[in-house]
Amino acid sequence: MQYFNDLVLIFDSTVRLAVPLILACLAGLYSERSGIVDIGLEGKLLGAAFAAAAMAAVSGSPWLGLLAGIGVALCMSAIHGIASINLKGDQTISGVALNFLAAGLTTFLGQSWFHRGGFTPQLSADQRFNPITLPFAEQVKDVPIIGEIYWELISGHNILTYVAFIAVPVTAFVLFKTRFGLRLRAVGENPKALDTAGMSVGWLRYQALIITAVLVGIGGTYLSIAQSAGFNNNMSAGRGYIALAALIFAKWKPWPALLVCLLFGFLDAMQFRLQGIKFPVIGEVPVQAIQALPYILTIILLAGFIGRAVAPKASGIPYTKER
Amino acid sequence: MSVRVPLPRWVDVALLPVLNVVLAFLIGGLIVLSVGQNPLDAVGYMIYGAFGYGSGFGYTLYYTTDFIFAGLAVSLAFHAGMFNIGPEGQAYVAGLGVIIVALLFNGLHWALMFPLMIIAGGLFGAFWAFIPGYLQAKRGSHIVITTILFNFIAISLMGYVITKILKPAGVDSDESAPIQAISRVPQLREFLALFKNSPVNLTFLLAIVALFFVYWLVWRTKFGYAMRTLGRNPTAARYAGISSSRMIMTTMALSGALAAMVAVNNVGGVQGRLILNFVAGAGFVGVAVAFMGKAHPVGVALASLLFGALYQGGQELAFSMPGITREMIVTIQALVILFTGAMGDMLRIPLEKLFARWQRPAGGG
């Protein structure tokens, strides 16, 4: 029973840690499926996290914080869109610039507005998204196994967590069962075909970027006002890049993306468990090795040791109408 | 439909990049203004801090040294069509190479130690860049993502090495044992009193040499030609019999070795020991420097000087105007990358129209 309990708790933190990855990964899925590479996910997560925490601290409402987070992500998407759709610039460079912009501005504005070395003020419970107890969770809590799983693992998360998990089937449906999804996939594979059919390649890509911004904005908001009680410097800590790697590994499909993100969440959850434990042969694993583990795993996944990934064909290429 | 007239060369090479940089700084100024500070005052303090007195100028050149190496590292990879955003990690790991030879031969005269540090640091930096190069060439991993992840791994690795292995017993701060004075790279102030107590050292001259070396390598050798062919047109490179995987791995290793010289400047020249997080963002500045300088050594030199002045001036600014933190520089960096890199052609079409109108009457058309 003790082991079972531990396992449920580890899965519980897996879910919590996977949420921002899932949201960022699905966000990247929309833009990459439409043919726009988005290295700037990292910066959007960070920018949204800052905006959400700052707004929640000032206004006292987590919902306004969420709006601010999405708003900032939308602005950054707009810059990315102008650079890569209208000006046909290099999408990777634009994304990298956005990441630096977020890293610089969040610290700079944080310091000038709040004077706490880049941190935003600590948020109280009513300024954050709090755990929701699902119906009947209290009642079935004591039922062995099923009750426990329902109480610990499924109930008791904040609303953004449920949004992230609902976003997966919704994305799968939109992408594969709707007309918009078909067009989105087509514009990333063969934009000319859509152009010939009289549809605007640019507008479709902008629509994709808007969805991307909304999702990654929710992800950033989750980081600062649901998972933590405020913003701190560079709190995205490479999650945007890990989400991109997860997307590649998931071959740009929503359900595999969920699985890969959960795997990364699980690794992250194990981090806290592994610290300070002495292993039989190797002894105590240094903290730094455990910290580096998700990055190393990402590299191994990226190196494609488990099957080759083929990106949407038009990904990263600006579309030029023939004259 | 009107035919697009290409811009005169001087506009393309000089005016357009300068206008883009000006735009980046204007927006930076607006951000400073938006938090209630006067950007013109800020510029005044910065110029004085960077050039106004001897040791300030020395610091400017010290930062410039770092940025030249990081900028050249990014530029070199860029010519081969790769975007290396890992100079930060490459320089950090190179610090290990530098400190290993320095502590191994501690007490050796600097004239022998300096080349040893360059070689050892260079090898470590090259190794750290070679792995992403290998993964790109052989496994198709996206070089941008791998180089960034290698920055994170470098932080963990070096954190462990410095705090658990190199840190001598009884020392509180996270740093290695010191290098003896005779083995350190000499400071320029020993030859020129002008630089007072600033840390600019012989590595600055190495940076100048590196600028010429990169120019020679990229534009005057067969290797450089192959590199540029690969960067411009991978298919043509393949038909010409250029092995792209070998080129990618060699170029990345060279790029990492260039970034490694940041470690020689800092560990061997200034601190005389390996300190936790000594790179402090210099590697990332290299990305901005490379774009601003259009990956050409002359441009890299000018952009490095500008960022060197920004860094040193920024320190001065932090004393005089406490409302502005050093992170403003990161923002400027981002704006420079955005406007010179991703949106570099924003002003091209308006300029083309302007010049077309200007030239028509003169051309007697």
Side-chain angles (χ1 to χ4, degrees):
Chain A
M1 218 45 215
Q2 180 57 39
Y3 282 113
F4 176 72
N5 236 336
D6 271 0
L7 208 62
V8 170
L9 285 179
I10 288 179
F11 283 140
D12 185 50
S13 34
T14 299
V15 167
R16 287 168 205 279
L17 292 163
V19 169
L21 290 178
I22 295 168
L23 287 164
C25 193
L26 291 178
L29 191 144
Y30 281 97
S31 76
E32 297 228 337
R33 280 281 187 169
S34 82
I36 304 278
V37 171
D38 202 352
I39 301 269
L41 283 178
E42 172 79 10
K44 287 178 193 164
L45 270 180
L46 193 64
F50 175 74
M55 183 53 111
V58 173
S59 72
S61 156
W63 292 100
L64 287 179
L66 178 65
L67 271 186
I70 293 176
V72 162
L74 278 171
C75 291
M76 294 176 76
S77 253
I79 297 175
H80 194 50
I82 291 169
S84 51
I85 300 171
N86 300 73
L87 296 171
K88 303 182 192 359
D90 188 313
Q91 299 169 9
T92 309
I93 298 171
S94 159
V96 168
L98 286 176
N99 291 343
F100 280 120
L101 195 64
L105 270 186
T106 51
T107 323
F108 174 68
L109 292 179
Q111 178 62 24
S112 351
W113 290 346
F114 302 108
H115 309 287
R116 287 164 198 253
F119 286 70
T120 58
Q122 191 79 12
L123 298 173
S124 61
D126 58 335
Q127 295 171 324
R128 300 174 52 201
F129 285 106
N130 295 306
I132 299 169
T133 308
L134 293 185
F136 309 118
E138 291 275 9
Q139 288 87 327
V140 297
K141 192 172 151 187
D142 298 322
V143 179
I145 301 183
I146 298 178
E148 216 165 335
I149 289 179
Y150 187 67
W151 167 252
E152 277 291 350
L153 197 56
I154 300 177
S155 173
H157 294 285
N158 60 69
I159 182 125
L160 301 184
T161 308
Y162 297 111
V163 169
F165 278 86
I166 292 167
V168 179
V170 170
T171 301
F173 178 79
V174 167
L175 203 59
F176 297 112
K177 299 277 187 252
T178 66
R179 195 196 304 210
F180 172 72
L182 179 67
R183 288 177 180 170
L184 192 74
R185 283 181 289 141
V187 80
E189 294 286 344
N190 191 348
K192 198 165 188 179
L194 273 112
D195 195 16
T196 318
M199 272 165 273
S200 161
V201 172
W203 171 232
L204 260 167
R205 290 186 167 169
Y206 265 111
Q207 283 171 300
L209 280 178
I210 290 170
I211 304 175
T212 299
V214 171
L215 286 169
V216 79
I218 300 174
T221 306
Y222 177 88
L223 279 179
S224 66
I225 67 175
Q227 197 177 32
S228 342
F231 175 87
N232 57 56
N233 283 335
N234 288 321
M235 76 183 309
S236 50
R239 285 189 184 84
Y241 302 115
I242 292 179
L244 269 184
L247 184 61
I248 296 169
F249 187 55
K251 304 199 165 88
W252 295 269
K253 293 193 179 92
W255 288 107
L258 172 68
L259 286 180
V260 181
C261 292
L262 283 173
L263 174 68
F264 277 113
F266 178 70
L267 268 184
D268 234 7
M270 290 303 285
Q271 258 196 50
F272 300 107
R273 295 257 152 181
L274 287 176
Q275 282 176 14
I277 296 177
K278 286 196 167 46
F279 286 93
V281 185
I282 34 179
E284 194 178 323
V285 178
V287 189
Q288 290 91 348
I290 300 170
Q291 281 166 353
L293 204 62
Y295 306 119
I296 295 171
L297 185 86
T298 310
I299 284 168
I300 294 172
L301 291 189
L302 267 184
F305 289 115
I306 319 136
R308 209 167 173 77
V310 181
K313 229 183 246 140
S315 184
I317 308 162
Y319 182 68
T320 312
K321 230 182 212 268
E322 264 176 85
R323 285 165 207 274
Chain B
M1 237 182 152
S2 66
V3 181
R4 281 174 64 176
V5 186
L7 288 170
R9 197 172 144 71
W10 67 271
V11 177
D12 203 9
V13 177
L15 186 65
L16 198 57
V18 168
L19 282 178
N20 284 328
V21 171
V22 168
L23 204 59
F25 276 85
L26 276 180
I27 293 187
L30 285 179
I31 294 171
V32 170
L33 203 62
S34 76
V35 298
Q37 304 277 351
N38 185 342
L40 289 178
D41 282 354
V43 170
Y45 282 121
M46 280 174 115
I47 292 176
Y48 174 74
F51 301 106
Y53 53 100
S55 76
F57 184 51
Y59 267 100
T60 299
L61 289 186
Y62 160 68
Y63 290 121
T64 305
T65 311
D66 274 356
F67 302 155
I68 287 177
F69 287 125
L72 285 177
V74 179
S75 303
L76 193 73
F78 207 68
H79 281 295
M82 278 173 301
F83 194 3
N84 173 16
I85 5 186
E88 186 79 10
Q90 288 144 21
Y92 200 9
V93 171
L96 184 60
V98 172
I99 202 71
I100 286 176
V101 288
L103 292 181
L104 215 55
F105 304 105
N106 213 347
L108 194 70
H109 190 266
W110 65 265
L112 292 170
M113 186 64 101
F114 190 32
L116 278 178
M117 283 176 176
I118 295 171
I119 293 167
L123 283 175
F124 273 68
F127 170 72
W128 206 247
F130 171 81
I131 311 172
Y134 171 85
L135 292 171
Q136 166 83 68
K138 301 284 185 190
R139 313 289 322 180
S141 316
H142 200 310
I143 196 111
V144 172
I145 301 180
T146 36
T147 46
I148 287 174
L149 293 171
F150 266 73
N151 289 339
F152 285 110
I153 298 173
I155 292 171
S156 294
L157 175 75
M158 294 299 288
Y160 177 74
V161 170
I162 294 173
T163 55
K164 293 286 153 64
I165 301 174
L166 289 175
K167 188 171 155 179
V171 174
D172 282 337
S173 47
D174 291 322
E175 55 184 47
S176 73
I179 306 169
Q180 288 179 27
I182 188 165
S183 303
R184 296 186 190 182
V185 183
Q187 318 265 312
L188 291 188
R189 62 173 183 239
E190 289 171 30
F191 315 104
L192 286 167
L194 167 76
F195 293 122
K196 292 212 180 85
N197 54 353
S198 68
V200 60
N201 57 72
L202 267 192
T203 322
F204 175 67
L205 300 183
L206 184 69
I208 307 282
V209 174
L211 286 168
F212 283 101
F213 169 76
V214 168
Y215 175 79
W216 172 79
L217 185 73
V218 174
W219 281 279
R220 290 284 176 268
T221 65
K222 232 166 110 176
F223 177 80
Y225 182 76
M227 209 164 82
R228 284 180 293 137
T229 312
L230 179 68
R232 289 281 177 86
N233 189 341
T235 320
R238 228 179 89 151
Y239 277 108
I242 296 165
S243 157
S244 72
S245 61
R246 188 189 294 167
M247 285 304 298
I248 289 174
M249 290 187 281
T250 321
T251 312
M252 278 306 285
L254 276 173
S255 170
L258 280 168
M261 298 306 119
V262 171
V264 176
N265 188 26
N266 186 291
V267 179
V270 179
Q271 308 292 353
R273 67 200 72 196
L274 183 61
I275 295 179
L276 203 67
N277 295 328
F278 73 87
V279 189
F284 290 127
V285 180
V287 179
V289 163
F291 282 117
M292 194 173 152
K294 295 211 133 198
H296 190 283
V298 175
V300 167
L302 291 174
S304 299
L305 187 62
L306 179 74
F307 271 100
L310 273 179
Y311 255 60
Q312 167 51 22
Q315 311 274 3
E316 185 81 20
L317 195 62
F319 288 121
S320 317
M321 294 172 77
I324 302 179
T325 55
R326 240 179 59 132
E327 274 68 30
M328 191 54 220
I329 314 261
V330 181
T331 309
I332 297 273
Q333 222 169 288
L335 294 169
V336 165
I337 298 173
L338 192 66
F339 284 110
T340 59
M343 296 184 166
D345 285 340
M346 185 166 48
L347 297 173
R348 183 178 293 274
I349 289 174
L351 274 179
E352 275 174 1
K353 282 188 184 144
L354 192 73
F355 275 89
R357 187 176 302 169
W358 189 43
Q359 276 169 344
R360 205 170 296 140

